[in-house]
Amino acid sequence: MMNCLQSWPEPVVRVQSLAASGVRAIPERYIRPPSHRPLTKNNFSPPQEANIPVIDFQNVFSDDQRLRDEALRNIHSACQEWGFFQVVNHGVSHELMKRTSEVWREFFKLPIEVKQEYANTPATYEGYGSRLGVEKGAILDWSDYFFLNYMPESLRNPNIWPATPASCRELVAEYGHEVCKLGGKLMKAFSINLGLEEDLLLKAFGGEENVGACFRVNYYPKCPQPDLTLGLSPHSDPGGLTILLPDENVAGLQVCRNGSWLTVKPVPNAFIINIGDQIQVLSNAIYQSVEHRVIVNSNKDRVSLAIFYNPKSDLLIEPSKQLVSDERPALYPPMTYDEYRLYVRTKGPCGKKQVESLKSPRPCSEC
Ligand code: OGA
Ligand code: NI
Protein backbone atom coordinates (compact mmCIF):
# COMPACT_ATOMS: atom_id res chain seq x y z
CA MET A 1 0.00 0.00 0.00
CA MET A 2 2.64 2.53 1.03
CA ASN A 3 4.72 1.61 -2.02
CA CYS A 4 2.17 2.82 -4.52
CA LEU A 5 2.33 6.21 -2.80
CA GLN A 6 6.00 6.79 -3.57
CA SER A 7 5.48 8.15 -7.07
CA TRP A 8 2.77 9.33 -9.47
CA PRO A 9 1.31 6.64 -11.74
CA GLU A 10 1.71 8.77 -14.88
CA PRO A 11 3.92 11.64 -16.02
CA VAL A 12 2.77 14.85 -14.35
CA VAL A 13 1.30 17.55 -16.58
CA ARG A 14 1.20 21.09 -15.19
CA VAL A 15 -2.24 22.50 -15.90
CA GLN A 16 -0.75 25.97 -16.01
CA SER A 17 1.54 24.89 -18.90
CA LEU A 18 -1.40 23.35 -20.72
CA ALA A 19 -3.39 26.55 -20.34
CA ALA A 20 -0.44 28.66 -21.45
CA SER A 21 0.10 26.51 -24.54
CA GLY A 22 -3.05 28.03 -25.97
CA VAL A 23 -4.93 24.76 -26.58
CA ARG A 24 -8.51 25.42 -27.70
CA ALA A 25 -9.74 21.97 -26.66
CA ILE A 26 -8.80 20.51 -23.29
CA PRO A 27 -7.24 17.01 -23.25
CA GLU A 28 -9.64 14.13 -22.68
CA ARG A 29 -8.17 13.44 -19.24
CA TYR A 30 -9.86 16.60 -17.92
CA ILE A 31 -13.29 16.00 -19.46
CA ARG A 32 -16.00 14.82 -17.05
CA PRO A 33 -18.99 12.69 -17.92
CA PRO A 34 -21.97 14.95 -18.74
CA SER A 35 -23.77 14.44 -15.40
CA HIS A 36 -20.69 15.67 -13.50
CA ARG A 37 -20.09 18.83 -15.47
CA PRO A 38 -20.74 22.23 -13.99
CA LEU A 39 -23.83 24.09 -15.09
CA THR A 40 -22.62 27.25 -16.74
CA LYS A 41 -24.57 29.90 -18.57
CA ASN A 42 -24.68 27.68 -21.67
CA ASN A 43 -26.77 25.12 -19.80
CA PHE A 44 -30.02 26.39 -18.36
CA SER A 45 -30.00 26.67 -14.59
CA PRO A 46 -32.07 28.83 -12.27
CA PRO A 47 -30.05 31.64 -10.67
CA GLN A 48 -28.83 30.72 -7.20
CA GLU A 49 -28.99 33.92 -5.21
CA ALA A 50 -28.61 32.58 -1.70
CA ASN A 51 -25.20 32.84 -0.11
CA ILE A 52 -23.57 31.10 2.85
CA PRO A 53 -24.00 32.90 6.22
CA VAL A 54 -21.64 35.77 7.08
CA ILE A 55 -20.58 35.78 10.75
CA ASP A 56 -19.20 38.77 12.61
CA PHE A 57 -16.54 37.13 14.77
CA GLN A 58 -15.58 40.07 17.00
CA ASN A 59 -18.19 39.48 19.69
CA VAL A 60 -17.48 35.80 20.18
CA PHE A 61 -15.27 36.46 23.20
CA SER A 62 -16.85 39.77 24.26
CA ASP A 63 -17.26 40.54 27.97
CA ASP A 64 -20.85 41.46 27.24
CA GLN A 65 -22.60 38.15 27.70
CA ARG A 66 -25.58 39.11 25.54
CA LEU A 67 -23.37 39.93 22.56
CA ARG A 68 -21.27 36.84 23.12
CA ASP A 69 -24.27 34.52 23.31
CA GLU A 70 -25.72 35.99 20.15
CA ALA A 71 -22.45 35.57 18.20
CA LEU A 72 -22.10 31.99 19.42
CA ARG A 73 -25.70 31.21 18.48
CA ASN A 74 -25.11 32.51 14.96
CA ILE A 75 -22.06 30.29 14.60
CA HIS A 76 -23.93 27.28 15.94
CA SER A 77 -26.74 27.62 13.44
CA ALA A 78 -24.29 28.21 10.57
CA CYS A 79 -22.47 25.00 11.58
CA GLN A 80 -25.66 22.99 11.90
CA GLU A 81 -27.54 24.29 8.93
CA TRP A 82 -24.73 24.96 6.47
CA GLY A 83 -21.38 23.54 7.58
CA PHE A 84 -19.97 26.52 5.66
CA PHE A 85 -19.82 30.22 6.54
CA GLN A 86 -17.73 33.35 6.04
CA VAL A 87 -16.18 35.24 8.97
CA VAL A 88 -15.46 38.96 9.13
CA ASN A 89 -13.73 40.81 11.99
CA HIS A 90 -11.76 37.63 12.51
CA GLY A 91 -8.63 39.35 13.86
CA VAL A 92 -6.24 38.47 11.02
CA SER A 93 -4.65 41.53 9.40
CA HIS A 94 -6.18 42.32 6.01
CA GLU A 95 -2.82 43.59 4.86
CA LEU A 96 -1.20 40.26 5.72
CA MET A 97 -3.95 38.40 3.85
CA LYS A 98 -3.39 40.53 0.73
CA ARG A 99 0.38 40.23 0.83
CA THR A 100 0.29 36.47 1.33
CA SER A 101 -2.12 35.81 -1.51
CA GLU A 102 -0.14 38.20 -3.72
CA VAL A 103 3.16 36.43 -3.00
CA TRP A 104 1.62 33.09 -4.05
CA ARG A 105 0.28 34.64 -7.23
CA GLU A 106 3.87 35.73 -7.92
CA PHE A 107 5.13 32.23 -7.19
CA PHE A 108 2.82 30.70 -9.78
CA LYS A 109 4.01 33.28 -12.31
CA LEU A 110 7.61 32.02 -12.01
CA PRO A 111 9.03 29.99 -14.90
CA ILE A 112 8.10 26.33 -14.85
CA GLU A 113 11.73 25.24 -14.25
CA VAL A 114 11.82 27.19 -11.00
CA LYS A 115 8.58 25.67 -9.77
CA GLN A 116 9.69 22.19 -10.83
CA GLU A 117 12.40 22.34 -8.17
CA TYR A 118 9.57 21.92 -5.68
CA ALA A 119 7.79 19.07 -7.52
CA ASN A 120 6.02 16.82 -5.03
CA THR A 121 5.38 13.08 -4.72
CA PRO A 122 2.40 11.33 -3.15
CA ALA A 123 4.62 10.15 -0.28
CA THR A 124 4.05 13.42 1.60
CA TYR A 125 2.35 15.64 -1.00
CA GLU A 126 4.60 18.50 0.12
CA GLY A 127 5.61 20.86 -2.66
CA TYR A 128 4.33 21.75 -6.13
CA GLY A 129 1.68 19.35 -7.36
CA SER A 130 -0.98 18.82 -9.99
CA ARG A 131 -3.05 15.90 -8.78
CA LEU A 132 -4.59 14.37 -5.70
CA GLY A 133 -4.76 10.57 -5.66
CA VAL A 134 -2.69 7.96 -7.47
CA GLU A 135 -5.34 6.05 -9.41
CA LYS A 136 -4.00 5.40 -12.88
CA GLY A 137 -6.24 6.81 -15.60
CA ALA A 138 -8.33 8.97 -13.22
CA ILE A 139 -10.06 12.07 -14.58
CA LEU A 140 -7.90 15.04 -13.56
CA ASP A 141 -8.81 18.44 -12.14
CA TRP A 142 -8.00 21.73 -13.85
CA SER A 143 -5.58 23.02 -11.19
CA ASP A 144 -2.07 23.00 -9.78
CA TYR A 145 -1.23 23.54 -6.11
CA PHE A 146 1.47 23.96 -3.51
CA PHE A 147 1.13 21.95 -0.30
CA LEU A 148 3.16 22.33 2.89
CA ASN A 149 3.07 21.31 6.54
CA TYR A 150 2.90 24.17 9.01
CA MET A 151 2.06 22.56 12.35
CA PRO A 152 3.24 20.83 14.46
CA GLU A 153 6.57 22.61 14.20
CA SER A 154 8.40 19.27 14.12
CA LEU A 155 6.84 18.61 10.67
CA ARG A 156 7.75 22.02 9.26
CA ASN A 157 10.33 22.02 6.44
CA PRO A 158 10.88 25.67 5.56
CA ASN A 159 13.71 24.61 3.25
CA ILE A 160 11.15 23.20 0.84
CA TRP A 161 8.91 26.24 1.02
CA PRO A 162 9.47 28.53 -1.99
CA ALA A 163 12.70 30.54 -1.71
CA THR A 164 11.35 32.95 -4.33
CA PRO A 165 9.63 35.38 -4.15
CA ALA A 166 11.99 36.48 -1.39
CA SER A 167 9.25 37.21 1.16
CA CYS A 168 7.36 33.95 0.64
CA ARG A 169 8.73 31.94 3.58
CA GLU A 170 8.38 34.80 6.00
CA LEU A 171 4.80 35.48 4.91
CA VAL A 172 3.84 31.81 5.14
CA ALA A 173 5.19 31.71 8.69
CA GLU A 174 3.39 34.88 9.76
CA TYR A 175 0.14 34.10 7.97
CA GLY A 176 0.15 30.53 9.31
CA HIS A 177 0.61 31.82 12.83
CA GLU A 178 -2.28 34.29 12.61
CA VAL A 179 -4.64 31.87 10.89
CA CYS A 180 -3.89 29.09 13.38
CA LYS A 181 -4.81 31.49 16.19
CA LEU A 182 -8.16 31.98 14.48
CA GLY A 183 -8.44 28.19 14.13
CA GLY A 184 -7.99 27.82 17.89
CA LYS A 185 -10.74 30.38 18.54
CA LEU A 186 -13.11 28.60 16.17
CA MET A 187 -12.41 25.31 17.96
CA LYS A 188 -13.28 26.98 21.25
CA ALA A 189 -16.51 28.41 19.87
CA PHE A 190 -17.48 25.02 18.42
CA SER A 191 -16.74 23.27 21.75
CA ILE A 192 -18.92 25.72 23.69
CA ASN A 193 -21.68 25.42 21.11
CA LEU A 194 -21.63 21.63 21.32
CA GLY A 195 -22.04 21.86 25.11
CA LEU A 196 -18.48 20.68 25.77
CA GLU A 197 -15.72 22.20 27.88
CA GLU A 198 -14.28 25.02 25.83
CA ASP A 199 -10.91 23.37 25.25
CA LEU A 200 -12.24 19.87 24.59
CA LEU A 201 -11.98 19.86 20.80
CA LEU A 202 -8.53 21.43 20.82
CA LYS A 203 -7.38 18.86 23.38
CA ALA A 204 -8.78 16.06 21.21
CA PHE A 205 -6.65 17.46 18.37
CA GLY A 206 -3.54 17.26 20.56
CA GLY A 207 -3.52 20.74 22.13
CA GLU A 208 -2.15 24.02 20.81
CA GLU A 209 1.41 22.74 20.39
CA ASN A 210 0.50 19.52 18.62
CA VAL A 211 -2.43 20.27 16.32
CA GLY A 212 -1.77 19.72 12.67
CA ALA A 213 -2.02 22.55 10.18
CA CYS A 214 -1.31 22.28 6.47
CA PHE A 215 -1.26 24.92 3.83
CA ARG A 216 -2.63 24.28 0.36
CA VAL A 217 -2.41 27.03 -2.21
CA ASN A 218 -4.65 26.26 -5.16
CA TYR A 219 -3.95 27.70 -8.59
CA TYR A 220 -6.75 27.44 -11.16
CA PRO A 221 -5.54 28.53 -14.61
CA LYS A 222 -7.92 29.94 -17.21
CA CYS A 223 -9.64 27.14 -19.06
CA PRO A 224 -10.70 27.18 -22.73
CA GLN A 225 -13.64 24.79 -22.04
CA PRO A 226 -14.78 25.45 -18.48
CA ASP A 227 -18.12 23.73 -18.96
CA LEU A 228 -16.48 20.32 -19.49
CA THR A 229 -14.23 20.19 -16.44
CA LEU A 230 -13.80 21.17 -12.77
CA GLY A 231 -10.99 22.99 -10.94
CA LEU A 232 -11.43 20.66 -7.98
CA SER A 233 -13.68 17.58 -7.84
CA PRO A 234 -16.48 17.30 -5.27
CA HIS A 235 -15.07 16.43 -1.85
CA SER A 236 -15.45 17.08 1.84
CA ASP A 237 -12.30 18.19 3.62
CA PRO A 238 -10.85 15.21 5.49
CA GLY A 239 -9.37 17.25 8.37
CA GLY A 240 -10.84 19.22 11.26
CA LEU A 241 -11.82 22.57 9.85
CA THR A 242 -10.70 24.64 6.89
CA ILE A 243 -9.93 28.35 6.78
CA LEU A 244 -9.97 29.46 3.15
CA LEU A 245 -8.90 32.76 1.70
CA PRO A 246 -10.65 32.80 -1.67
CA ASP A 247 -9.66 34.93 -4.64
CA GLU A 248 -11.14 38.36 -4.07
CA ASN A 249 -11.88 38.90 -7.71
CA VAL A 250 -12.88 35.52 -9.07
CA ALA A 251 -15.66 33.26 -7.76
CA GLY A 252 -15.25 29.51 -8.19
CA LEU A 253 -16.08 27.68 -4.97
CA GLN A 254 -19.42 25.87 -5.01
CA VAL A 255 -21.12 24.33 -2.01
CA CYS A 256 -23.61 21.47 -2.28
CA ARG A 257 -26.89 22.56 -0.71
CA ASN A 258 -30.06 20.43 -0.90
CA GLY A 259 -28.72 18.65 -3.93
CA SER A 260 -27.71 21.69 -5.98
CA TRP A 261 -24.48 23.61 -6.32
CA LEU A 262 -24.38 27.12 -4.92
CA THR A 263 -21.57 29.48 -5.96
CA VAL A 264 -20.07 31.32 -2.98
CA LYS A 265 -19.80 35.10 -3.33
CA PRO A 266 -16.66 36.06 -1.41
CA VAL A 267 -17.10 38.98 1.01
CA PRO A 268 -14.05 41.31 0.96
CA ASN A 269 -11.47 40.44 3.63
CA ALA A 270 -13.47 37.49 4.93
CA PHE A 271 -12.34 33.90 5.39
CA ILE A 272 -14.53 31.01 4.34
CA ILE A 273 -14.78 28.41 7.12
CA ASN A 274 -15.99 24.87 6.70
CA ILE A 275 -16.42 21.82 8.89
CA GLY A 276 -14.20 18.87 7.99
CA ASP A 277 -14.75 15.14 8.49
CA GLN A 278 -12.85 14.98 11.82
CA ILE A 279 -15.23 17.46 13.46
CA GLN A 280 -18.13 15.49 12.04
CA VAL A 281 -16.69 12.41 13.80
CA LEU A 282 -15.89 14.19 17.10
CA SER A 283 -19.32 15.83 17.23
CA ASN A 284 -20.99 12.49 16.43
CA ALA A 285 -22.48 14.14 13.33
CA ILE A 286 -24.12 17.08 15.13
CA TYR A 287 -21.93 19.08 12.78
CA GLN A 288 -21.33 17.65 9.33
CA SER A 289 -18.77 18.26 6.65
CA VAL A 290 -20.26 19.51 3.41
CA GLU A 291 -19.41 18.55 -0.13
CA HIS A 292 -17.88 21.31 -2.23
CA ARG A 293 -16.08 21.71 -5.55
CA VAL A 294 -14.49 24.41 -7.69
CA ILE A 295 -15.48 25.56 -11.17
CA VAL A 296 -13.12 27.36 -13.55
CA ASN A 297 -13.63 29.97 -16.25
CA SER A 298 -12.07 31.15 -19.48
CA ASN A 299 -11.34 34.77 -18.47
CA LYS A 300 -9.38 34.80 -15.24
CA ASP A 301 -7.06 32.52 -13.33
CA ARG A 302 -7.84 32.09 -9.64
CA VAL A 303 -5.72 31.64 -6.50
CA SER A 304 -7.04 30.42 -3.15
CA LEU A 305 -5.19 29.73 0.11
CA ALA A 306 -6.51 26.94 2.33
CA ILE A 307 -5.29 26.19 5.82
CA PHE A 308 -6.45 22.82 7.06
CA TYR A 309 -6.61 22.69 10.84
CA ASN A 310 -6.27 19.02 11.75
CA PRO A 311 -5.80 16.59 14.62
CA LYS A 312 -2.25 15.50 15.44
CA SER A 313 -2.04 12.69 12.96
CA ASP A 314 -1.39 9.73 15.27
CA LEU A 315 -4.16 10.40 17.81
CA LEU A 316 -7.33 8.35 17.75
CA ILE A 317 -10.33 10.48 16.81
CA GLU A 318 -13.77 9.26 17.84
CA PRO A 319 -17.13 10.73 18.85
CA SER A 320 -16.79 12.71 22.08
CA LYS A 321 -18.13 10.65 25.02
CA GLN A 322 -20.40 13.51 26.07
CA LEU A 323 -22.15 13.35 22.71
CA VAL A 324 -22.77 9.62 22.82
CA SER A 325 -25.79 8.13 24.59
CA ASP A 326 -28.15 5.16 24.32
CA GLU A 327 -30.38 7.25 22.08
CA ARG A 328 -27.45 8.45 20.03
CA PRO A 329 -24.78 5.77 19.87
CA ALA A 330 -21.34 6.50 18.44
CA LEU A 331 -21.69 6.69 14.68
CA TYR A 332 -17.99 6.25 13.91
CA PRO A 333 -15.22 3.93 15.10
CA PRO A 334 -11.97 5.43 16.46
CA MET A 335 -9.37 6.11 13.78
CA THR A 336 -6.18 8.15 13.50
CA TYR A 337 -5.99 10.97 10.99
CA ASP A 338 -2.95 9.27 9.43
CA GLU A 339 -5.11 6.25 8.58
CA TYR A 340 -8.02 8.39 7.50
CA ARG A 341 -6.21 10.60 5.07
CA LEU A 342 -4.40 7.75 3.34
CA TYR A 343 -7.72 7.05 1.61
CA VAL A 344 -8.03 10.50 0.02
CA ARG A 345 -4.33 10.53 -0.76
CA THR A 346 -4.76 7.29 -2.69
CA LYS A 347 -8.21 7.63 -4.23
CA GLY A 348 -8.33 11.39 -4.66
CA PRO A 349 -11.43 13.51 -3.91
CA CYS A 350 -14.56 11.32 -3.63
CA GLY A 351 -17.43 13.48 -2.41
CA LYS A 352 -18.49 12.40 1.08
CA LYS A 353 -17.98 8.70 0.42
CA GLN A 354 -15.17 8.27 2.87
CA VAL A 355 -16.78 9.65 6.01
CA GLU A 356 -20.09 7.96 5.15
CA SER A 357 -18.35 4.62 4.74
CA LEU A 358 -17.12 4.82 8.35
CA LYS A 359 -20.64 4.72 9.80
CA SER A 360 -21.00 1.77 12.13
CA PRO A 361 -23.83 -0.63 11.29
CA ARG A 362 -27.16 0.70 12.55
CA PRO A 363 -28.17 -0.46 16.04
CA CYS A 364 -30.62 -3.38 16.05
CA SER A 365 -33.66 -1.31 16.95
CA GLU A 366 -33.34 0.41 13.59
CA CYS A 367 -32.71 -2.70 11.49
C1 OGA B 1 -9.69 22.78 -0.91
C2 OGA B 1 -10.83 23.56 -1.45
C3 OGA B 1 -11.64 25.56 -2.50
C4 OGA B 1 -11.17 26.71 -3.35
O1 OGA B 1 -8.52 23.20 -1.14
O2 OGA B 1 -9.95 21.76 -0.23
O3 OGA B 1 -11.94 23.11 -1.31
O4 OGA B 1 -11.95 27.65 -3.50
N1 OGA B 1 -10.58 24.72 -2.07
O5 OGA B 1 -10.05 26.66 -3.84
NI1 NI C 1 -11.98 21.55 0.16
Side-chain angles (χ1 to χ4, degrees):
M1 176 55 129
M2 287 310 268
N3 264 345
C4 69
L5 282 180
Q6 293 309 306
S7 61
W8 302 113
E10 293 141 334
V12 174
V13 176
R14 301 306 176 187
V15 178
Q16 187 176 10
S17 309
L18 258 179
S21 74
V23 286
R24 302 269 288 275
I26 64 174
E28 205 170 338
R29 291 296 303 277
Y30 298 89
I31 301 179
R32 291 182 175 265
S35 62
H36 294 175
R37 291 178 192 167
L39 290 172
T40 58
K41 32 184 185 322
N42 303 337
N43 307 26
F44 174 76
S45 75
Q48 292 280 8
E49 288 297 327
N51 203 356
I52 59 174
V54 179
I55 301 283
D56 186 339
F57 205 67
Q58 69 187 336
N59 290 330
V60 171
F61 301 103
S62 158
D63 291 332
D64 182 334
Q65 190 176 342
R66 200 180 47 84
L67 290 176
R68 190 174 65 226
D69 288 351
E70 189 191 343
L72 285 168
R73 261 199 313 275
N74 290 340
I75 294 175
H76 186 55
S77 52
C79 288
Q80 277 203 302
E81 288 162 31
W82 288 81
F84 249 99
F85 55 92
Q86 310 199 47
V87 280
V88 295
N89 297 320
H90 42 62
V92 180
S93 146
H94 298 172
E95 164 83 19
L96 180 62
M97 293 160 72
K98 278 211 170 59
R99 279 163 53 217
T100 311
S101 83
E102 198 46 46
V103 90
W104 281 105
R105 249 187 193 286
E106 293 303 319
F107 172 78
F108 282 100
K109 281 188 198 151
L110 293 172
I112 190 77
E113 317 81 71
V114 178
K115 290 184 296 233
Q116 282 299 110
E117 287 173 32
Y118 303 94
N120 73 349
T121 76
T124 66
Y125 276 88
E126 283 179 286
Y128 179 47
S130 297
R131 68 185 283 165
L132 191 58
V134 292
E135 304 259 284
K136 206 171 167 152
I139 298 181
L140 300 178
D141 290 335
W142 193 264
S143 55
D144 301 321
Y145 63 84
F146 200 101
F147 183 81
L148 59 88
N149 290 324
Y150 183 77
M151 285 292 286
E153 264 193 78
S154 56
L155 290 185
R156 231 182 256 185
N157 292 314
N159 56 319
I160 62 171
W161 301 0
T164 37
S167 54
C168 189
R169 288 178 182 171
E170 199 184 319
L171 282 170
V172 165
E174 196 182 339
Y175 180 84
H177 182 73
E178 291 301 309
V179 173
C180 284
K181 270 201 283 188
L182 173 60
K185 290 182 196 163
L186 285 160
M187 293 282 280
K188 217 178 239 186
F190 293 177
S191 295
I192 297 169
N193 281 337
L194 287 165
L196 306 169
E197 287 146 45
E198 66 174 30
D199 57 356
L200 192 132
L201 286 179
L202 188 55
K203 272 197 183 143
F205 274 29
E208 216 163 314
E209 296 302 310
N210 287 311
V211 291
C214 308
F215 216 124
R216 183 176 149 113
V217 182
N218 298 294
Y219 180 73
Y220 304 96
K222 289 183 218 178
C223 179
Q225 294 181 298
D227 39 3
L228 301 183
T229 191
L230 288 172
L232 191 52
S233 301
H235 66 283
S236 59
D237 291 342
L241 62 92
T242 303
I243 303 174
L244 182 86
L245 177 57
D247 197 306
E248 236 186 5
N249 304 309
V250 193
L253 174 63
Q254 293 191 318
V255 175
C256 185
R257 174 87 169 156
N258 303 327
S260 55
W261 292 102
L262 201 67
T263 305
V264 174
K265 267 193 235 136
V267 168
N269 300 312
F271 284 108
I272 298 173
I273 310 295
N274 64 284
I275 303 283
D277 296 342
Q278 304 304 309
I279 289 202
Q280 173 166 336
V281 170
L282 269 160
S283 73
N284 207 18
I286 295 176
Y287 293 163
Q288 299 191 13
S289 62
V290 173
E291 219 173 321
H292 53 286
R293 68 179 190 182
V294 176
I295 56 171
V296 289
N297 71 84
S298 54
N299 305 318
K300 285 182 174 160
D301 58 2
R302 176 171 181 270
V303 175
S304 70
L305 274 55
I307 288 204
F308 303 112
Y309 195 89
N310 300 330
K312 180 171 184 285
S313 66
D314 59 358
L315 295 179
L316 282 174
I317 299 296
E318 62 186 323
S320 169
K321 295 278 178 281
Q322 288 97 311
L323 303 176
V324 171
S325 62
D326 289 344
E327 294 77 54
R328 195 181 175 83
L331 290 167
Y332 313 97
M335 194 186 269
T336 68
Y337 187 50
D338 270 333
E339 284 175 86
Y340 190 86
R341 83 176 153 192
L342 194 56
Y343 181 98
V344 71
R345 289 188 165 194
T346 311
K347 299 263 186 215
C350 280
K352 282 206 60 170
K353 274 205 195 110
Q354 184 179 11
V355 70
E356 303 285 317
S357 74
L358 288 183
K359 286 224 165 100
S360 321
R362 285 172 189 283
C364 288
S365 59
E366 286 183 35
C367 291

